[in-house]
Amino acid sequence: MTGVLAGALGLVVGLVIGTLGGGGGVLSVPALVYALGQDARTATTGSIVIVGIISAAGVLARLRGRTIDWRTGVGFGIVGVPTAWAGSLVNRDVPQPVLLLSFAALTLLIAVLMLVRGSSSGPPDDGSGVPAAGGGASGATAVLEAPTRRRATVRRVVKIAGAGSVVGFLTGFLGVGGGFLVVPALTVLMGLPMSAAIGTSLLVLTFNSISSMGARIGHLDLDWALIGPFAAVAVLGALGGKLVADRMSGAALNRAFAGLLVAVGLFVGVQSLLAL
């Protein structure tokens, strides 16, 4: 029965990640703790494994759709590797109530950010942060635009480095994969539309999960009787979630993501406070 419950929960988590590009760790940690009886530290480790497997499957499913911004995704992933490692090390020494309360507070904060600003993001740019110059621009105009382009590129790199580092650390610390942070960062900070943010987020989650697992290699405590069916069914759910996402508008996806974070953040916060 426990394996059946794990599979059912995995289906929900997979659907969420496949549809929204993140949020699976936000669900899998509470599912492993409150429904399957694991402690917070074991659950965060198991969640990283589950989210990593689902995210990798999601990336493969989107290779033909051109909905992944590879430069931004790889940049986020690379800068997040060392900080995800650091977050995993810190996770070992933090009491369980602090982990869960930190988890709840962060989900609520990000939900508010998405509701207030998420729908205001614009279309993706050419990677430099400014529109490409038209083919008929004069040489003088091109010279004048060059410093502007360089400044925009520097700003973009700084945003990727800063946001990627924070997301990486929280991935290792909270075991949530980071998608619930990556998607808002990609839409609000980087200006990607929701469809591209979802695909790119899955790439970043794959990077961060691998890094976080590397930091925990000597301290793994995984119950494969739970994680196996959870992850296997979640992959199928993620593929189904992609079909759902293809039929929803960016605004609807944004609201759904924020609503999920509010619900989970309130639940985990209340449960953690009652347990003190």
Side-chain angles (χ1 to χ4, degrees):
M1 287 300 295
T2 303
V4 173
L5 178 58
L9 294 170
L11 178 62
V12 174
V13 170
L15 282 169
V16 169
I17 292 183
T19 303
L20 302 177
V26 172
L27 287 176
S28 60
V29 170
L32 291 170
V33 171
Y34 299 113
L36 298 174
Q38 294 191 337
D39 63 83
R41 189 159 290 106
T42 301
T44 55
T45 301
S47 175
I48 288 173
V49 174
I50 292 165
V51 171
I53 292 172
I54 300 171
S55 301
V59 170
L60 294 176
R62 285 169 168 78
L63 288 178
R64 294 184 178 180
R66 297 183 179 180
T67 55
I68 299 176
D69 184 332
W70 289 94
R71 287 187 295 177
T72 300
V74 172
F76 261 73
I78 290 175
V79 300
V81 166
T83 55
W85 190 287
S88 296
L89 297 178
V90 174
N91 171 276
R92 301 174 190 172
D93 301 319
V94 175
Q96 176 168 312
V98 175
L99 278 175
L100 293 176
L101 286 173
S102 299
F103 178 97
L106 195 57
T107 55
L108 292 173
L109 176 63
I110 296 301
V112 171
L113 177 63
M114 289 200 73
L115 288 172
V116 172
R117 301 182 59 190
S119 61
S120 65
S121 58
D125 55 39
D126 64 355
S128 64
V130 295
S138 67
T141 302
V143 170
L144 290 174
E145 287 182 347
T148 302
R149 286 182 174 278
R150 285 196 293 270
R151 287 194 296 270
T153 300
V154 170
R155 286 196 298 270
R156 187 177 183 85
V157 170
V158 169
K159 287 180 180 179
I160 291 175
S165 297
V166 172
V167 167
F169 178 83
L170 292 172
T171 296
F173 180 57
L174 297 176
V176 293
F180 77 118
L181 291 169
V182 177
V183 172
L186 293 175
T187 56
V188 177
L189 293 179
M190 307 307 300
L192 295 184
M194 194 67 176
S195 59
I198 289 172
T200 306
S201 172
L202 293 173
L203 178 62
V204 177
L205 270 99
T206 303
F207 271 101
N208 287 346
S209 297
I210 292 172
S211 175
S212 297
M213 286 306 301
R216 297 168 189 244
I217 285 296
H219 301 80
L220 292 181
D221 184 13
L222 300 174
D223 184 352
W224 286 105
L226 293 180
I227 293 176
F230 198 120
V233 179
V235 169
L236 298 178
L239 298 178
K242 179 183 181 300
L243 300 178
V244 175
D246 291 342
R247 289 165 173 76
M248 293 178 66
S249 68
L253 289 169
N254 186 78
R255 290 193 297 270
F257 200 116
L260 169 70
L261 296 181
V262 169
V264 174
L266 288 174
F267 175 78
V268 174
V270 170
Q271 290 291 325
S272 300
L273 289 174
L274 291 176
L276 291 178

